[in-house]
Amino acid sequence: MTSHTRSFSPSPPPPLSARDRDDLAAEVGGPVLLPGDDGYAEETTGFNVIVTHRPAVIVGAKDVYDVQAAVRFANAHGLPVGVVSTGHGPSYAIDDAVLVTTHRMTGMTVDTTTRTARVEAGVRWEQAVAETTRAGLAPLPGSSPTVGVVGYTLGGGLSVTMGRAYGWAADHVRSIEVVTADGELHQVSDDSEAQLFWALRGGKSNFGVVTSMEFTLFPVARLYAGSMIYEGEHAAAVLHAYQRFAARTPDEVTSSVALLRTPDVPAVPALVRGKLTVHVRISYLGSEKDGRELIAPLREAAPTLADDIRERPYGEFAAISPNPPGPMVSVDRFANLDALTPETVEAILAVAGPGTDRRIGLVDLRQLGGALSERTEAPNAVVNRTAGFVVFTTTQVAPAEAEARAGAGLELMERLEPWLSRRRIPNFLAPSDATVEGTRGAYDEATYERLRSVKTTYDPRNVFRFNHNIPPHGAT
């Protein structure tokens, strides 16, 4: 497996001393940890542990002042800075650096008058949805309740609840608070440092440590939503029925379909354990009666093992797309499909359908289009809006197999080549995409050059480089 560790200097910096740690600890409210300290390993562990971080020092930030102190300390010691909140979307290993962890920053407020929420860097979607729905309002969450709101939004933010109805989460950000490479705090919006505000929404973590953001909420309290599960033997019938369904579905429907192949182990629910199953996920902004009529062809496509699509409170959004319960080592592949055709379905079945033994754990197709394809009045760096679907594979592997299984999912992407879009989406970049060309694939040429210009202004030394990196001008 290709190493995801970068070297930007002829040799690593000398180890920090206990005195360095104590000096930094005197300036921050959260923990400061060196290698070997109690809690160091736990603090570096994210959700996908395919990447192992070995930073020179960890700052467990409790507030914006801790973040500023960490960045200034990094500058004083000639160190780069990496950031981790939940660790769902790793890119490079954060080695020989200052690692800022933000999961302790969980402050949040909801303004019912302006229909906005302000979240700190460590807020996860489960908290954000719980607090907004108590006020009768709804945000645009992803599929997992444990994903961090900020990181998800900086990469675009594809909502499983209302994405096709309202667009990318990044389209609805009102303002951002960010600590840049010089340790200074900036409040950015369309009216203040607009270039940086534009770049942050789609440019991911390249421009600083985002400590909070404010975004729009929507007056939605209920959804007709959930999932249906079928035996793998019905994959062809279900996928073809879904292809026809997606071709005519209104923008009020956000949907996806997945092939899931699970190991035969006790940790896996008995319903899907040790076999191939097909999962259709639906979220509809309409009445239960209309929803039943819309999805009737999917219910008629094949017998279901389970069907929990019903009208439900918005707070139950996690029922749409159930997620693994805890950290795992997984190999991911992402791409965009221009369209889903009957021929595309057959290509997927040939690689991952019944009777195949490709060992791909998950093939997930999420429909785009609708408002996700629209340009916004306040543009941002999420520019690739013409694809019809995101397709990705996730294969859970044992740590000892990670090297041997690094190519998992490639065979499907090769088979889908005739339908793949040229462009990618920032949120859907895997560790294997953390290269110059891999990152460039998420942007058109003009957007990429504009992002590099903003990077050169705010981070000319590429302090924030443990990511899908957009290097400043002049960087090697």
Side-chain angles (χ1 to χ4, degrees):
M1 181 174 60
T2 302
S3 171
H4 297 296
T5 302
R6 291 182 180 183
S7 176
F8 284 84
S9 60
S11 60
L16 296 173
S17 67
R19 180 172 180 176
D20 294 324
R21 175 195 58 204
D22 294 344
D23 288 345
L24 178 55
E27 297 186 40
V28 303
V32 176
L33 305 170
L34 295 180
D37 286 346
D38 290 343
Y40 175 94
E42 292 78 8
E43 197 73 14
T44 63
T45 302
F47 187 84
N48 186 352
V49 292
I50 191 72
V51 169
T52 300
H53 304 301
R54 300 178 183 87
V57 63
I58 301 171
V59 176
K62 294 180 69 176
D63 55 34
V64 64
Y65 305 108
D66 286 1
V67 174
Q68 288 183 281
V71 174
R72 289 169 178 162
F73 177 89
N75 287 335
H77 289 80
L79 295 169
V81 178
V83 186
V84 170
S85 178
T86 65
H88 278 75
S91 51
Y92 273 95
I94 301 171
D95 294 348
D96 300 323
V98 176
L99 170 59
V100 179
T101 58
T102 62
H103 59 85
R104 294 172 179 81
M105 300 175 63
T106 57
M108 178 174 175
T109 58
V110 177
D111 189 325
T112 57
T113 302
T114 61
R115 289 182 180 172
T116 58
R118 178 187 177 276
V119 298
E120 291 185 346
V123 172
R124 302 181 182 215
W125 277 119
E126 56 192 352
Q127 176 188 349
V129 171
E131 295 197 25
T132 57
T133 53
R134 277 197 290 269
L137 297 168
L140 294 172
S143 59
S144 171
T146 63
V147 164
V149 175
V150 167
Y152 159 94
T153 306
L154 296 180
L158 176 58
S159 174
V160 298
T161 57
M162 305 188 294
R164 283 171 40 85
Y166 291 112
W168 300 95
D171 296 341
H172 300 283
V173 176
R174 301 280 192 90
S175 64
I176 293 175
E177 181 182 82
V178 59
V179 175
T180 50
D182 55 4
E184 294 300 312
L185 180 65
H186 302 252
Q187 302 278 353
V188 302
S189 66
D190 280 328
D191 300 318
S192 175
E193 298 187 86
Q195 287 294 320
L196 179 56
F197 184 54
W198 170 86
L200 285 165
R201 294 168 298 148
K204 304 187 78 171
S205 61
N206 274 282
F207 308 98
V209 185
V210 171
T211 54
S212 70
M213 67 169 47
E214 181 184 29
F215 51 85
T216 300
L217 302 172
F218 302 91
V220 177
R222 303 187 70 80
L223 298 167
Y224 182 69
S227 66
M228 290 183 285
I229 303 175
Y230 309 79
E231 290 279 9
E233 66 187 80
H234 302 303
V238 175
L239 261 64
H240 280 291
Y242 178 79
Q243 183 270 325
R244 294 188 294 271
F245 167 82
R248 62 174 178 78
T249 187
D251 294 352
E252 291 79 15
V253 175
T254 297
S255 69
S256 64
V257 64
L259 298 175
L260 177 65
R261 196 184 300 270
T262 62
D264 188 5
V265 296
V268 175
L271 186 68
V272 299
R273 184 185 304 158
K275 59 185 178 182
L276 175 68
T277 50
V278 188
H279 300 239
V280 174
R281 299 80 155 252
I282 300 291
S283 178
Y284 174 54
L285 289 172
S287 70
E288 183 171 13
K289 176 179 179 296
D290 290 343
R292 285 199 304 268
E293 292 178 3
L294 277 169
I295 70 168
L298 297 173
R299 285 193 162 124
E300 296 164 0
T304 58
L305 285 171
D307 181 349
D308 75 340
I309 300 177
R310 57 180 172 80
E311 186 174 270
R312 61 176 73 240
Y314 197 93
E316 295 181 7
F317 78 101
I320 298 169
S321 184
N323 286 267
M328 62 182 186
V329 179
S330 66
V331 178
D332 301 328
R333 301 283 172 191
F334 298 99
N336 287 353
L337 291 173
D338 286 326
L340 182 65
T341 68
E343 293 75 20
T344 320
V345 169
E346 289 300 319
I348 294 169
L349 291 168
V351 174
T356 62
D357 185 24
R358 305 288 179 162
R359 300 181 67 190
I360 298 173
L362 173 74
V363 178
D364 202 317
L365 288 156
R366 301 191 179 185
Q367 188 177 16
L368 304 175
L372 295 163
S373 299
E374 298 173 1
R375 297 288 180 178
T376 65
E377 294 181 4
N380 54 53
V382 183
V383 292
N384 299 326
R385 297 172 181 249
T386 59
F389 288 81
V390 170
V391 57
F392 62 91
T393 68
T394 295
T395 303
Q396 186 173 353
V397 301
E401 296 180 334
E403 189 83 21
R405 301 291 304 281
L410 280 175
E411 63 268 45
L412 178 63
M413 298 305 173
E414 291 168 358
R415 185 66 70 97
L416 291 176
E417 181 64 31
W419 301 277
L420 293 186
S421 169
R422 289 180 59 248
R423 295 296 177 192
R424 311 285 286 281
I425 295 167
N427 257 2
F428 294 97
L429 294 173
S432 58
D433 300 315
T435 62
V436 172
E437 289 307 311
T439 301
R440 287 190 73 139
Y443 309 99
D444 58 49
E445 185 175 352
T447 300
Y448 186 76
E449 287 306 311
R450 185 177 173 187
L451 287 167
R452 289 196 72 186
S453 294
V454 178
K455 178 77 167 180
T456 303
T457 299
Y458 288 95
D459 186 14
R461 296 185 297 109
N462 209 9
V463 170
F464 300 106
R465 58 192 185 231
F466 297 99
N467 46 31
H468 293 94
N469 192 236
I470 300 167
H473 291 294
T476 56

